[in-house]
Amino acid sequence: MAEVPAHDAWLTEVEAARLNGLRYPKRRDEARLGRWTAKRAVAAALGRDDAGGRDHAVLRELVIRNASDGAPEVFVGDEQAPVRISMTDRADWAVCTVIDDEVDIGCDLEIVEPRSHGFVRDWFTSVEHEMVASCPDHHDLLANLIWSAKESALKVLRTGLRRDTRSVEVRLDGWPATAQPGRWDALSVVDVEGARFAGWWHRFGDFVLTYASASPTPQPEPLVEPSPLHAAQPSHRWMEAPD
């Protein structure tokens, strides 16, 4: 969040009007953070040098629009870009995943924070509930990991939380033996219609990041080395000066 410019030179007039028209500071700041992150990620993926975010003309040419179902789409000027993206933010940090293929993808960033047994009971399938209950030492990680993977899969389906979270079920084959600190681990998600989505997850300190796609893809690679998430600390800047 601290890297997002206060000015609008990196936005088109339409984008600036929309974002600045958001009433609540938290929503406005998160929307600006998401767009800034997405534009910079797309610039890197497309090989467009934005001079570390200082070339506002490059970023202004990259437009992030929302399709009718709410999913983000990328345009270079008026032409749709040959990439698919997914966006997520949490506690003043944002991630944008980019793939140069016609594959629907989804990502979600969560804090590894306490989740009640009631939360797990209400939002998870019975299989997921049993998985969390069987690993009490990893309750918070598992609860947030499963929740995040659900959100990623629902973005692949282009429904988000409009769809029942229990209609998709997360699989962590081999857990916890397969979980290794500091690396991506595989996951999968199956929906009630039988579709299976491949995915990955990574623990970054206080955060967990998940990724899902409509067909198998290699594990995500950071566009910035090392990934800033390795040193990320959750914060809530909007609470410092609410208006």
Side-chain angles (χ1 to χ4, degrees), residues 127-170:
V127 171
E128 294 165 339
H129 190 182
E130 182 178 342
M131 187 193 311
V132 176
S134 67
C135 298
D137 292 343
H138 302 284
H139 177 276
D140 293 341
L141 172 58
L142 270 176
N144 287 284
L145 166 56
I146 291 171
W147 176 256
S148 180
K150 285 177 176 289
E151 290 233 47
S152 290
L154 293 173
K155 289 178 181 178
V156 176
L157 289 167
R158 298 175 72 103
T159 64
L161 293 175
R162 298 189 302 273
R163 176 169 168 151
D164 189 340
T165 58
R166 294 165 298 182
S167 69
V168 293
E169 186 170 273
V170 179

Side-chain angles (χ1 to χ4, degrees), residues 1-240:
M1 185 73 78
E3 297 178 3
V4 181
H7 59 73
D8 295 336
W10 55 282
L11 295 165
T12 66
E13 290 184 6
V14 172
E15 288 176 318
R18 178 184 176 276
L19 297 184
N20 293 326
L22 296 173
R23 177 180 177 184
Y24 296 105
K26 179 178 185 294
R27 182 70 190 97
R28 187 167 59 244
D29 287 351
E30 289 173 346
R32 290 176 67 89
L33 170 63
R35 286 302 192 273
W36 171 257
T37 304
K39 283 172 178 269
R40 297 222 54 215
V42 170
L46 294 180
R48 292 172 175 257
D49 185 6
D50 67 359
R54 296 185 300 276
D55 192 333
H56 301 138
V58 169
L59 298 179
R60 194 165 52 246
E61 189 180 20
L62 302 174
V63 183
I64 312 299
R65 301 177 184 171
N66 291 104
S68 58
D69 57 13
E73 296 180 332
V74 182
F75 288 79
V76 180
D78 293 327
E79 297 293 327
Q80 191 158 4
V83 295
R84 301 281 180 95
I85 69 169
S86 182
M87 301 162 60
T88 180
D89 66 84
R90 188 74 167 86
D92 290 355
W93 288 84
V95 173
C96 176
T97 52
V98 187
I99 189 168
D100 58 350
D101 199 355
E102 294 185 359
V103 177
D104 286 322
I105 59 175
C107 68
D108 185 71
L109 182 68
E110 296 291 340
I111 301 175
V112 180
E113 60 186 349
R115 297 282 190 176
S116 69
H117 294 290
F119 175 90
V120 174
R121 182 184 62 249
D122 291 345
W123 299 103
F124 290 8
T125 68
S126 59
V127 171
E128 294 165 339
H129 190 182
E130 182 178 342
M131 187 193 311
V132 176
S134 67
C135 298
D137 292 343
H138 302 284
H139 177 276
D140 293 341
L141 172 58
L142 270 176
N144 287 284
L145 166 56
I146 291 171
W147 176 256
S148 180
K150 285 177 176 289
E151 290 233 47
S152 290
L154 293 173
K155 289 178 181 178
V156 176
L157 289 167
R158 298 175 72 103
T159 64
L161 293 175
R162 298 189 302 273
R163 176 169 168 151
D164 189 340
T165 58
R166 294 165 298 182
S167 69
V168 293
E169 186 170 273
V170 179
R171 309 282 175 84
L172 301 173
D173 296 335
W175 169 273
T178 57
Q180 298 293 326
R183 76 171 199 189
W184 287 96
D185 285 292
L187 62 82
S188 61
V189 186
V190 179
D191 69 14
V192 292
E193 290 83 17
R196 187 180 185 94
F197 309 117
W200 298 91
W201 70 275
H202 196 305
R203 173 83 183 262
F204 291 95
D206 292 330
F207 291 93
V208 61
L209 176 65
T210 63
Y211 166 88
S213 57
S215 59
T217 65
Q219 70 179 45
E221 296 291 341
L223 289 164
V224 177
E225 289 278 13
S227 170
L229 283 175
H230 285 295
Q233 295 292 322
S235 61
H236 303 281
R237 198 177 79 166
W238 67 273
M239 296 180 67
E240 299 172 5

